[in-house]
Each structure stands twice: as C-alpha cells, then as structure tokens.
Amino acid sequence: MAQAAQLPIITHYTAYKPRPFTREQRDETTILYGGLTWKHERMMQGALHNLKYKAEPLPNIAREDLDAGKELIDVGACCPTIFTTGSLVNFLKKEVNEHGKDKVNSKYVFLTAGACGPCRFGQYHESYAMALDGLGLRDFRLFLLAQDELDQGPGNGGGLDINMPMSLGIIWSILCGDLVTDLEYMTRPYEVNPGQTELVLRECVEQMYDRFLHRPDKGKKYGTLAWHLMSSYFTRALRDVRKKWDAIEVDHLRVKAKVKITGEFWLQTHEGEGNYNIKRWLESEESEVIAPPVAVWLHYLMHPTIRKLEHRNAKSKHPKVENLALHALERIYRGTYNRFRKALANLPHELPDQEELKSLAEPFYHFELRGGEGHMLIGKALHSYHHKTAHMICELSPYSCMPNTMSIGSMANVVGKYPDLLYAPIEVKGDAEVHALSRCQMILTEAKKRAQAEFEGVMDKTGLTEKAIRAYEDKHPETRKATYYVPHRAYAGGAANYVAHLAYDKGLARA
Amino acid sequence: MRFPTLPIWSAKKRSVASVPKDKNKDRSQVRVGIPKVLNIWTTHQFWVGFLKSIGIESENIVFSSDTSEEQGREFGKGRGTVDCCYPVKAISGHYGELVFGQKKKINILLSPMIHSLPSVLHGHVVDTVTCTRVMAGPENIKAGFLKERDVFGEAGITYASPFVSLGDRHMVTEQLHTSLKDVFNLELEETERAVKAGFEALDSFTEKARKQSRDILTWCAKNQKPCILVLARPYHMDTGIGHEIEGDLQAHGYPILWLQYLPGDEDLMNWLFEADMQMGRIKSPFDISDVWMSSYSSNTNEIMWGAKVAARCPWITCVVRLSSYECGMDQPTYTPTQKIVEATGTLFFKFGDLDSTKPAGGIKIRIETIVHYLAKYSQKIMQQKLEWLSPNCPLGPLPAFAPPDAVQEGPAVAQQVHSSPS
Ligand code: SF4
Ligand code: SF4
C-alpha cells in the first residue's frame, strides 16, 4: 500500500470499552456481581472480601427488572438477558438518583461471566453495554470473567486481578453454595417446624461467609491451589454446617413428588421472580425439588471430551501431557466435590458422570453441539429416568432461547421412546406466570399420583404400617433428623426409599 | 452403572443397502438428498465436491427446493417439535420433500450439523462457529421424523447427520470419516481426497462470486453509480426466507451485493480501512474488535464486518438488513449495525421479523421509500465518502459526478450474486 497522507478523522461507531480500573482505585471501588443464588453470592462475597475487594451482589431479580431491561435493549432478547440487564439498570438508576452519575461511575465496577461462545450467553455484555449507553453511563466499568481460565492476570489497569486465589475462591464458593442449596431443598419439604430450615440455612451461610473471609493467604499460584485441594479448612466448615443441620427435625414419611429442575443455566439456577419462583411454588404443591448445581455446568466446561473441541486450534507442544493433566484435573474436581459431600454426611447428590450423560444423550443430541447446556438437558432427563432419582423433569426454557429450543425439540424424540418419562418443558417469558405454572401443574398431578402409588406399593410390599414406623422412630430419634442418611433404593420418592430402608436395612420388615 | 445407548434410535449408524461393500465401491446409483437450508447456502459447493469425489453422480445429488409455505404444508405438517425461528422451523418441510416428494427415491438424507464455517474473517476474530440453532437444527428436526416411528427407515432412507467444523479444515476429514464411513462405506484416504475436492470446489465458487461482486463495484466506481448491500444471513438468499426483497430493489436498477460475497481483496480493503489502521483503531481490515467484542459467531461477525465495509465504501449508499422473526443471534446486533452504517450517512433499512408469509403490501411501500431515498441521496453519500478516502482508488480512475438529475440506468454487469444450489 502506498504511503498515504493523513486522512480525515471520521467518527465511526465504536463498541463499549471499559475505562481502566486501577490498583489504586481498588479500595474505593465496589465490585458488583450477580446471576446465582443469594447463598452462592454471599459466600463469593466472603472470598472477595478476603482478597480485600469491596464487593456486593446485585439485589435479587424482581419482576420490574424485566421492564427496565426491555426498555433499553433491542427487542427479542431471551429473558435471562433481559432480567439480568434490567437488574443492573435498576440498581444503577437508584444509585444515580442518590449519588449522581460521576459518583456511580467511580464507585462501582460490574463483573460478569462471559467469553462463552455461540449463544447470547457470550453476548450478555453487549446488552449491558447498550443499556449503559441508554442510561448515559458509558463511563461505568464492566468487566468479563472468562469461565475457563483460572489465571487471567491483572487486566485493564490492575484493579481487578483475576488470579488463582480469586478464581479458586469463586469456584469453592460455588461448590459450597451448591451443596448447601442441595441440603436446603431436600430438607424443607419435610421439616416438622415450618421455617426452621430457612433459619438454620441463614446461619450456615453466614458461617460459610466467615470461613471464606478468613481463608488463609497461601500465595498467588500453585501454593494456593495445593492448599485448596488438600486442606481440611472447608471440610471442617461444612462439618459444622452438618452439625447445625442436625437440629432440624423432619418427617421422612411425607409423600412428595420429586421434581428435577433442568433447563437453561441462569433460569434453572435462579431463585425468584425471574423464573416465577417456581422452585418454591413446586414445594407449595407437595413436591420436593432437586435444584440443579452450578457445579455440573463447571464440570461440563472442564470435561476433557467436551473441551477437545474448544482446543481445536490450540497449538500445543505436548498434547498428550495436556490431555492427561485435563483428565487428572477432572478427577480432582469430582474428588473435591465428593470430599465436601462426605463432610455433609453424603446427603447432597453426586455429580453425574459426564461420559454417561454424553452416551445417554448420544442418539438424540450430539455432545459437541455447544450453546446453553448442550446435550446435558437430554442426558440429565434420561439419567434421572434410568436411575429413578425423580418422578418428573421440569425443564425451564427461556422464551426465544436458541439452544434450549433445540434440545426441547429433540426431547420429542426422547419422550416418544420413553412415554412414561414425565417431562414438563416450561417456557419462561417473565410475565406469563399463570400459563407456565398451570402447564407444570398438569404433569405434576401425574407425578404426585406416581409418588403416592410408589409409596403405597412399598408399604404393601414390606407390610410396614405408619404406626410401626413411628414407634421405631421414637426409639431411634436420629431418624427424625434432617441429616439422617436414607440410601437410594430403586424408588424416586424419598418416603418410599425411607420405608424400604427401615424395612430391609433396619430389619423392620421382619419385625 | 451406565445405561446402554440406543444407536438404533439415532438413525445415524445404519449402513445403506444400496452402497456396495465390494472393493469397486461403485456409488453411481446412490442418490443423496440434501435439505437446502441454513448454512448449506454458503457451503453447498463443498458437499457437491465431496460427494462427486466419492463417486456420486451429479444427477444423483438432490437439493430440496427453496422454502415455501406449500412445501411446509405438504411435507412438514405435524413434524415440528418446537416453536422457533422460521429458518429452522421450515427445515421439516425440506426433510419431508426429500423423503416423500421425490419421483426417484433418495437413498441417503444428508443433513450436516455445521459447527463452524469458513470465513473471510478467520484468524481475525475469536471464532467462526455457527448459531446454536444452525448446528443443532438437524437434531431437532429429525425428532419430528422419529418420535412416533422411524419415517426414514420406513422409506428405505439412511439418515446421515455428520457433525462437521468446516471452519477448521484440519478436523474435517476425521469428522466426516467417523460419521460417514458406514453410510458410504468410506476409507480414510478417499475421505481425505473428497474433503480436499470439496474445499477446492467451495473455494473456487466463493472466489468467483467475490470476483463478480468486485466487478459490480468496479462498474459502480467507473460510472459513479450506487449499489445496495444486503446484510443478512446466508439463508436469506432462499426466496421463501428472504422473500426476494433484494430482487424487488434490483428491479429498480440498483445492483445488489450480498455480504457473504463481498470482495475481501487486500488492495480494496486496505484502501477502505486505511484511516482506521492509521489511527490504530484496528489491526487489519478484517478486525472487528472496534465494534464487536464477542466475535464467536461466524455469520454475526460477518454482518458486523459487512456493516463496516458498507459504512466506508462510497458506492454502497444503502444497506438493507434482513432478519428472521425470533432470531436470537440477530437480536443484539440490531442497534450496533444500524449505528455503524449510519455513522457515515449511509442509508439503512431493516426488514425484521421475516416469517413464512411475504408481507407483500408492506414490502412494496418500503421498497418505494428506499428507492426514493436512494435516488435523492446516493450522489451526496458517494461524494462524501470519497472525500474521506485517499485518491488512490484500486478500482480504477474515478470520473467526475454527473450533474444531479441525470438518468439512472442499470449496469450491464449488475446481477445479483446469488449462490442458489440447484
Ligand atoms: S442459553 Fe438461551 S437463554 Fe441463555 S443466554 Fe443463551 S440464548 Fe439466552
Ligand atoms: S441465526 Fe437466527 S435465524 Fe438463523 S438459526 Fe440462529 S436464531 Fe435462527
């Protein structure tokens, strides 16, 4: 190209780029974040406070966030995009009203997960940026946290150092948040004293916050990794949770339909108006919810079989060694989760085997189709069906979600082959609650019937009576504790498994 | 305990009775049907080249027709499994046409799950993957043909749906060999040869189409006449998806360029993006990081890039944006593309929410509006954009502008660059 003279400067459109967030600004700046449950977010706050960051989760999603989001981004977005954008918008509006734009621009930065490929999940921040434009807050800083790198270094000014201690703190708080949430959902429907689970849960989460806050400094690299993997610091904390949980009295004989929640990542994780509070609603409808752990998603992202495609263009000098390391990492991850489960008396559910999810889904949905939860939605539904871990699957699908519509379509083939699989795909728009819940209700009615029939069947088969069980419980008060371990014995329902356990493991059937 | 998988339900692995197992591998009688949908529109030459290389006769490679409501009614009814964007929903009709609507039956229905795409932006963007619905569409549509009974099997058709990363050439042979070896009785070496032949065919077609676009631009430059860029996804070339909106504009004498075949020639691109590179806004003319950070999705990336080219190229005085109803990939791009294009005064018109029916009346009125604006403002837009560029135009010497009100006549060279597989 010939050397050209200086050309006129045209004001072309440019995408949002955050101003730097410097190391010096750290003490005065609050990191905002969100997207998980309050339990995860509180523990994460502990991990961030531990690293001397000011950090604050955004308020839980509310119905008004939908309108605020819709107002500022292009039409047709999926509801997770609208809700999360709206939540940030409403928070910023309130702060601007109180403190003015300049103060808000200097006081806060927003950290969000990003850098994830093919659907809008990888483009959330484009919507956030558009909303910032709409609010006249282009100077507000928004940063992305890639989900697949532990050490991303001090980007853009050094104020935010996404290093090992930060990433491990975040991951560990996710794992602990998942486990405590799992305990919560398996306990609350059976609690004898209404509200006790909630009370104990809050105490436990505060205690975990404290543990994260006082996490010892073990360096910035492999020292801290080794410590997180080997130390009993978090298992001790979880054992304390278990001790607190002991105090909750439950009635294992309540017959509940067990409902496994699957669906789009944000929607299935969320607890609140963003998904019509469907988990609480299900509990109020005589069911027990199996809440989806975020850990399964992380496991999916790191699984070597899945990652192969992500690394298709990476030029590695030692691909075999890297592959071995990935396998080892995956085993360590599952091992850590199981170590934590053990500290909680093995009550929380195990992580499903990713290879099994892949092969279960294989005839219906190729495992390399990325976006959303990929093949996992089908894999999880079939896993639950074959292993009899739930009476019904409730799949939460955001209106206009790209990957979710594809897997729901493919589920038609699954349901055709397994007509007795109870599957309720629920489209969530954010403002059509009655319609969504009544759709769910239809399948739930059948699930409840099944739970009842299953329970009556096992009572008949074992010859046990409620009276005999209550008498046994009086003699063995540990059976009334929320931490009493009931092994899974070929039934989906908790009560049925409990009866079978007393009958065969505790010898009541012979009595 | 793991549960056994059910390959029989995937309808993927069964071998075709008509594909000979002997050493000669005479495949001349095998008929292969390909649904002409989604990204087949920019990769069909690859599939033709691939199939011909393994001995499938040209006349035995059958593409379904353009999308139409009749096709959906006649062949796809009752087979939809979910409500989503029309380009995906319409695939049921294409499958149905290939299964039920052929005088001479096909033996294989080949519906690739295209994971990544070749792109002029390869190497300048984070990735070139397809929309999740583009890649997973075949799994969704196949469900409608398998949920009650195996419709393919009953028709004696083998369903083959290879997962393939066409944007990552080094992976393609292995992917296609693994997924198609039983379907076509393929050896690794012949797959490798066929993949090579496929890419040669695709590259040569793309090059020709780009050359045609350059010719149109050269004609526009030589005559100082405007043209229109269609900013859309490849399958909007399908008359039933894009509803031939660009054809109506072309009828008014404006040459049409399609984004997918914009010339990416170094001389032209360097000329258009010279100022941006001088300022350090971008590293190369194909760098879109100044306007779009999440550059994963191939078609979206190209839409962003096309908008940038249109904003700078003097003779592209108008952009027509086409978008299908409920397109999740287009949704976050509406405002940025419009802002990119309009930043230099280039005209921008969007036809959104395109669905199965052509809103003929509404389109007619809008076409008239566009033509009116084009006639009124094109010369000013061209002059303005030329002032912002260096005088060394690679398309040749530029004549002075005709006085206003001079008669517009269609260029001899102007024709729609269109890649309809037929
Ligand atoms: S998975 Fe669906 S709902 Fe979630 S971000 Fe992607 S398109 Fe939106
Ligand atoms: S890009 Fe849009 S129209 Fe195309 S398949 Fe994806 S969602 Fe549908």
Side-chain angles (χ1 to χ4, degrees), chain A residues 202-213:
Chain A
R202 295 214 171 252
E203 266 179 53
C204 292
V205 171
E206 277 318 296
Q207 179 189 308
M208 290 302 294
Y209 164 82
D210 204 58
R211 293 301 171 97
F212 276 98
L213 178 66

Side-chain angles (χ1 to χ4, degrees), chain A residues 4 15 74 115 126 312 359 417, chain B residues 5 127 146 274 290 294 296 335:
Chain A
D74 278 325
E126 305 284 356
R312 63 197 191 280
S359 31
K417 304 296 178 283
Chain B
T5 55
D127 212 335
L146 294 172
E274 193 178 352
D290 54 333
S294 336
Y296 303 98
T335 302

Side-chain angles (χ1 to χ4, degrees), chain A residues 116-358:
Chain A
C116 158
C119 81
R120 277 172 290 204
F121 196 27
Q123 299 170 11
Y124 269 7
H125 62 285
E126 305 284 356
S127 297
Y128 296 145
M130 190 181 286
L132 292 179
D133 258 348
L135 291 174
L137 286 174
R138 244 203 180 214
D139 276 344
F140 180 83
R141 288 158 297 176
L142 172 82
F143 295 104
L144 293 183
L145 177 69
Q147 296 177 58
D148 55 352
E149 272 178 71
L150 291 181
D151 197 351
Q152 297 166 39
N156 209 341
L160 193 65
D161 191 358
I162 303 174
N163 54 18
M164 284 267 201
M166 181 189 260
S167 299
L168 291 171
I170 290 176
I171 294 172
W172 258 234
S173 56
I174 287 175
L175 301 186
C176 293
D178 280 347
L179 291 158
V180 171
T181 302
D182 208 358
L183 270 190
E184 172 199 350
Y185 281 95
M186 67 175 60
T187 306
R188 190 169 38 229
Y190 303 96
E191 67 186 4
V192 172
N193 307 307
Q196 194 182 4
T197 309
E198 194 70 26
L199 227 58
V200 176
L201 176 69
R202 295 214 171 252
E203 266 179 53
C204 292
V205 171
E206 277 318 296
Q207 179 189 308
M208 290 302 294
Y209 164 82
D210 204 58
R211 293 301 171 97
F212 276 98
L213 178 66
H214 295 109
R215 183 174 52 141
D217 181 357
K218 295 288 174 186
K220 289 215 180 329
K221 292 275 175 190
Y222 295 103
T224 194
L225 179 63
W227 179 83
H228 277 84
L229 293 176
M230 324 272 260
S231 151
S232 60
Y233 184 81
F234 289 104
T235 41
R236 269 187 280 125
L238 290 168
R239 259 184 246 126
D240 290 344
V241 167
R242 201 205 66 210
K243 279 184 205 142
K244 283 197 160 55
W245 218 262
D246 266 343
I248 307 175
E249 190 189 345
V250 294
D251 178 2
H252 285 301
L253 272 189
R254 286 185 194 159
V255 180
K256 304 271 178 186
K258 217 183 245 187
V259 182
K260 186 176 172 67
I261 303 278
T262 64
E264 191 270 343
F265 174 78
W266 181 85
L267 211 53
Q268 62 168 359
T269 309
H270 176 67
E271 295 173 340
E273 292 176 13
N275 59 13
Y276 310 132
N277 259 313
I278 197 160
K279 295 175 193 168
R280 288 298 182 118
W281 176 81
L282 282 163
E283 284 187 0
S284 72
E285 290 291 323
E286 293 304 311
S287 44
E288 176 192 337
V289 167
I290 305 179
V294 182
V296 176
W297 166 254
L298 295 180
H299 192 194
Y300 167 74
L301 289 182
M302 73 162 50
H303 198 277
T305 317
I306 316 288
R307 280 185 73 86
K308 204 173 140 209
L309 199 64
E310 295 296 293
H311 281 191
R312 63 197 191 280
N313 292 319
K315 288 184 184 59
S316 165
K317 275 192 192 149
H318 310 287
K320 280 198 181 134
V321 178
E322 270 182 26
N323 196 30
L324 281 176
L326 266 180
H327 277 280
L329 185 73
E330 192 256 339
R331 273 199 293 276
I332 290 169
Y333 178 78
R334 282 185 84 175
T336 303
Y337 198 77
N338 283 337
R339 201 154 60 90
F340 289 176
R341 283 179 57 240
K342 202 167 159 208
L344 294 169
N346 278 323
L347 293 167
H349 298 87
E350 240 183 303
L351 292 178
D353 178 354
Q354 285 289 338
E355 290 289 348
E356 186 183 357
L357 293 185
K358 168 180 171 271

